[in-house]
Amino acid sequence: MFSPTLALTQLTKSFGGLPVLEPLSLTLPRGEFLSLLGPSGCGKSTLLRLIAGLEPPTSGTASLGETPHPAYVFQDPNLLPWRTVLSNVALPLELRGVARTEREQRAQEVLSQMGLADAGALMPRQLSGGMKMRVSLARALVTKPDLLLLDEPFSALDELTRFRLGELLRDLWLKSGLTVIFVTHSISEAVYLSERIAVFSQRPARLIADERVALPRERNKATRGEESFARETVRFRGLLESGMGAQK
């Protein structure tokens, strides 16, 4: 029987009587990579927080399937400055009572996946912005989540670092079978990373399009220079522009 990772049913959110999210219904199958694309401040991050259970909805429901195990990556890495990289990554396991030897072993394994095998003894102040975000991703992945929620994690990084981390994230998704929801306001980033993109209007957020990305599953640096990538970027830009101009 089909069991989605996520099912949103007539989900809404208001703050102080002001609507942020209009009624939204959406289903996300297991193992899919979905990007939420919309104007800055439209309510994408609020929706992600509703899905994570960090905010209560005003009405409607957000159901996380039979065995919910989400992990959240914020825009700011939020590393604890007094802890080493290894102990930052191991923190979620420590809070769950996992023995020190096991949690440090698992933290080291995921750091290696992030290309940070030799960084465990470093302190956050010794890391570049890109390295800090890799540590933040490692900390989210160390608990082996089913659903990974990312709130514009690369927006503060330079273009080259952002692209490299995007490639890393997509490679991890392909290998792990994770379900991913990725918030961004970058059209090209959404097109490159995603299998599916949900496009929202300006605030209050209204879903104006929910479409698959017409690109092959296997992508690389050359993909961004292909006509199909340019065509999809233009297509989703048109959808986004229609949402930015839409008025309730």
Side-chain angles (χ1 to χ4, degrees):
M1 182 177 179
F2 172 72
S3 178
T5 293
L6 174 69
L8 307 180
T9 306
Q10 292 296 298
L11 192 69
T12 72
K13 182 64 179 179
S14 298
F15 290 105
L18 296 176
V20 175
L21 177 67
E22 294 193 350
L24 171 64
S25 295
L26 181 149
T27 300
L28 186 65
R30 294 181 184 278
E32 190 147 87
F33 196 126
L34 170 71
S35 280
L36 308 182
L37 182 64
S40 296
C42 75
K44 303 183 299 297
S45 295
T46 297
L47 175 55
L48 204 68
R49 291 176 68 84
L50 292 173
I51 293 170
L54 300 176
E55 292 275 357
T58 300
S59 63
T61 60
S63 174
L64 295 182
E66 297 174 356
T67 55
H69 182 193
Y72 201 112
V73 178
F74 295 88
Q75 183 175 349
D76 189 322
N78 291 317
L79 303 180
L80 300 179
W82 60 87
R83 299 182 67 130
T84 65
V85 164
L86 185 68
S87 64
N88 262 286
V89 174
L91 180 59
L93 300 178
E94 181 180 340
L95 295 175
R96 294 183 178 197
V98 176
R100 180 173 180 174
T101 300
E102 180 182 349
R103 68 178 184 252
E104 290 187 350
Q105 179 181 346
R106 286 171 59 178
Q108 185 59 50
E109 288 172 357
V110 74
L111 279 172
S112 296
Q113 290 180 324
M114 294 292 115
L116 295 172
D118 298 326
L122 297 179
M123 303 301 290
R125 65 177 181 276
Q126 297 174 284
L127 307 179
S128 66
M131 291 175 72
K132 288 179 181 177
M133 188 49 65
R134 285 176 186 248
V135 174
S136 181
L137 280 168
R139 185 175 55 192
L141 293 171
V142 77
T143 60
K144 300 180 181 178
D146 304 308
L147 174 63
L148 185 61
L149 306 169
L150 302 110
D151 190 4
E152 299 191 54
F154 308 147
S155 61
L157 304 175
D158 65 83
E159 190 68 19
L160 183 58
T161 301
R162 186 169 181 158
F163 176 68
R164 287 173 176 168
L165 285 178
E167 286 190 312
L168 174 64
L169 175 61
R170 186 169 172 86
D171 184 58
L172 287 168
W173 168 72
L174 286 169
K175 291 177 179 177
S176 68
L178 266 173
T179 305
V180 177
I181 303 179
F182 186 89
V183 170
T184 182
H185 57 260
S186 169
I187 301 167
S188 61
E189 185 172 65
V191 170
Y192 183 80
L193 292 177
S194 316
E195 298 299 290
R196 175 180 163 197
I197 299 176
V199 183
F200 292 88
S201 69
Q202 60 187 350
R203 198 170 191 173
R206 175 173 57 86
L207 183 64
I208 58 174
D210 180 3
E211 300 189 11
R212 303 201 68 79
V213 178
L215 292 176
R217 187 174 177 87
E218 297 295 331
R219 303 169 196 175
N220 53 41
K221 293 178 181 179
T223 302
R224 289 178 178 261
E226 294 174 357
E227 182 180 346
S228 57
F229 180 81
R231 184 169 55 247
E232 286 298 273
T233 302
V234 169
R235 181 166 73 91
F236 281 100
R237 179 180 293 117
L239 292 170
L240 180 60
E241 288 174 346
S242 70
M244 292 177 71
Q247 298 291 332
K248 185 177 177 181

